[in-house]
Every structure is written in structure tokens, then in C-alpha cells.
Amino acid sequence: MNQDYGDNILTLEDVHTYYENIHALKGITCTVPKGSIVCLIGANGAGKTTTLLTISGVERARRGRILFEGQNIETLPPEKIAALGIAQSPEGRQIFSRMSVMENLEMGAYLRKDKEGIQQDMEWVFSLFPVLKDRYRQKGGTLSGGEQQMLAIGRALMQQPKLLLLDEPSLGLAPKIIERIFETIQEINKNGMTIFLVEQNAHMALTTSDIGYVMETGRIVLEDDASALLENKEVQKAYLGE
């Protein structure tokens, strides 16, 4: 990893997370440099989603440290972590199906008081995902899978985060929609946002990211520049179907 992204916005040090007696994360150590896209790839059940849930405080680390902008956050409740500037677009989208597109986006901004800034960010989300502007009165549950994914990302962006956590944004989507989502992820990053991406589509994740981590059964087993992992024979065989 030879590219310099400046300070790390997020650092995990020897993080262990349990589901009762099940040891889900077994000493995770990784960093997310400010301004980068970092991906975490691995098979189903490897612990990728648990990693994001532990960062956002939904699951509590039993051991280890999580630093966000140098501040320990591993003991903070989810709402305080969100207020510090971490937003998550969750696996399976989890939009409010009975609320309109506009209401879903407004829910993303519930911690904010700056009306003018909220309106500007709403326009930015609509510029990223024009279909949401066309359907702003439509109930979230009536959108297609791809549109719901766009709405989930847009809702997270309305929080005005410093760090965006994306959990399986390609899940269940058609190839053309996946390409559009990942193009938008790069556009969001170019706008200055740091992104930590969990993704089973290893090729898309590594092609989009600056740095990659490979996870197996609760442990990180490989880390490198994403471009180097794309050329790694073990990664190609296990995750890229080559």
C-alpha cells in the first residue's frame, strides 16, 4: 500500500465481537485513510457485516479499540456514533417502505438543524440518483430493488457523514444497475467522502477501491492495494472465479 491518503479517519485495533458465545470477529485490525475507498471482501458469514455493525455501535466490541478521527467510539451508543459523522447504508436496504422517497431522505437528516444545508444535500442526492427525484412522492416499498438501494445510499448521505459505511450495495441487483451504483460510489468519493465498503462482488469492490482487505471466518487474512489484490492468484481463485 504505497499511496498516501493522509490521516486515517477510522482505525480498528484487535477488535473482538461476540454473538453470545459465538466469536464473530477474532481480532480485526484495519485502517480507513481519509478520502479513500476501502473494501472488505469475503464469503458469506465471514464477519463483514458484523464489522460494520460493530463500527456503528449496533453490535458492541467485547475487546479492542475503534478510533474515529482519533476518538475512541467502541463504547458509544449508535446515535452518538452517528452524530460524530458515521452513516451506514445497511445490507438489504432497510428503507421505510410505507414512507415516500422524500420522507425517507428526510429521515436521514433527522439529526440536522441546518435547513438550507439539508435542501442542498437533497438536491445533491437527486443529482446522483435522478430517478429518486422523479419518484419523490412514491412510497419506498413500491420502488425496484435498484431504486431502493439508491434510496438507502441517499438516506445515508442526508446525514452529511464524514465516513459512509456501505453494506453489500450490489446485493440482488442486475449487472447494469450494479455498474451504475458503483459509478455513483466513485462519484461520492470524488466529492470528498471517505467510504468503507463491504461487498461480496469482489471484482467490482476491488476495481472501485483504493485498498482492500480479505476476511475469512472472523479474521483479516490479506490486505493490500486493491489493484494488487486483483492480481493476487489466491484472491483470483477464491473470489474472482479465475
Side-chain angles (χ1 to χ4, degrees):
M1 289 181 283
N2 49 27
Q3 202 162 348
D4 181 15
Y5 298 99
D7 296 335
N8 294 322
I9 193 169
L10 181 74
T11 302
L12 279 68
E13 297 177 352
D14 193 30
V15 172
H16 295 255
T17 302
Y18 290 75
Y19 294 110
E20 294 184 351
N21 292 324
I22 298 168
H23 198 174
L25 299 186
K26 303 170 183 175
I28 299 298
T29 296
C30 63
T31 57
V32 178
K34 190 173 184 181
S36 68
I37 303 177
V38 175
C39 69
L40 181 61
I41 64 171
N44 244 341
K48 305 185 304 296
T49 292
T50 302
T51 301
L52 294 191
L53 292 176
T54 303
I55 292 165
S56 60
V58 176
E59 297 297 335
R60 184 59 54 85
R62 198 176 289 183
R63 300 206 315 268
R65 297 202 309 160
I66 303 173
L67 299 167
F68 178 65
E69 294 189 317
Q71 177 180 344
N72 283 80
I73 63 169
E74 68 274 1
T75 61
L76 296 179
E79 63 273 16
K80 290 199 173 176
I81 292 172
L84 288 174
I86 298 178
Q88 183 163 349
S89 175
E91 182 181 12
R93 285 121 22 209
Q94 296 182 30
I95 60 162
F96 300 104
S97 60
R98 295 184 181 183
M99 291 184 177
S100 69
V101 166
M102 182 71 80
E103 287 167 336
N104 268 273
L105 294 175
E106 287 170 347
M107 286 299 291
Y110 77 101
L111 286 173
R112 297 174 60 182
K113 301 286 187 271
D114 56 322
K115 287 186 179 179
E116 192 173 317
I118 290 170
Q119 189 56 45
Q120 287 174 350
D121 284 343
M122 189 84 71
E123 291 303 321
W124 180 46
V125 169
F126 286 150
S127 73
L128 291 170
F129 304 115
V131 69
L132 296 183
K133 187 168 188 177
D134 295 339
R135 304 183 184 218
Y136 75 101
R137 290 181 178 169
Q138 195 169 319
K139 288 191 175 178
T142 66
L143 301 176
S144 70
E147 290 162 354
Q148 288 187 16
Q149 184 61 67
M150 294 171 190
L151 181 55
I153 294 172
R155 182 181 61 188
L157 291 175
M158 288 302 297
Q159 194 178 312
Q160 207 177 39
K162 300 172 185 175
L163 173 64
L164 178 63
L165 307 179
L166 295 177
D167 194 353
E168 303 283 10
S170 77
L171 192 65
L173 301 183
K176 282 189 177 179
I177 301 296
I178 291 172
E179 281 186 29
R180 176 74 188 105
I181 292 287
F182 275 87
E183 284 169 3
T184 307
I185 289 169
Q186 288 179 304
E187 194 175 335
I188 292 165
N189 174 249
K190 283 175 186 169
N191 210 59
M193 191 164 298
T194 308
I195 297 170
F196 192 21
L197 165 70
V198 154
E199 182 55 68
Q200 265 192 285
N201 187 330
H203 187 269
M204 287 301 295
L206 292 171
T207 303
T208 304
S209 300
D210 303 299
I211 296 167
Y213 290 90
V214 180
M215 192 171 215
E216 291 178 5
T217 58
R219 293 184 173 89
I220 287 173
V221 295
L222 272 175
E223 60 177 286
D224 209 334
D225 288 335
S227 56
L229 288 176
L230 273 171
E231 302 300 322
N232 183 295
K233 298 296 182 189
E234 290 177 45
V235 173
Q236 288 177 349
K237 185 177 178 183
Y239 302 106
L240 302 176
E242 297 177 17

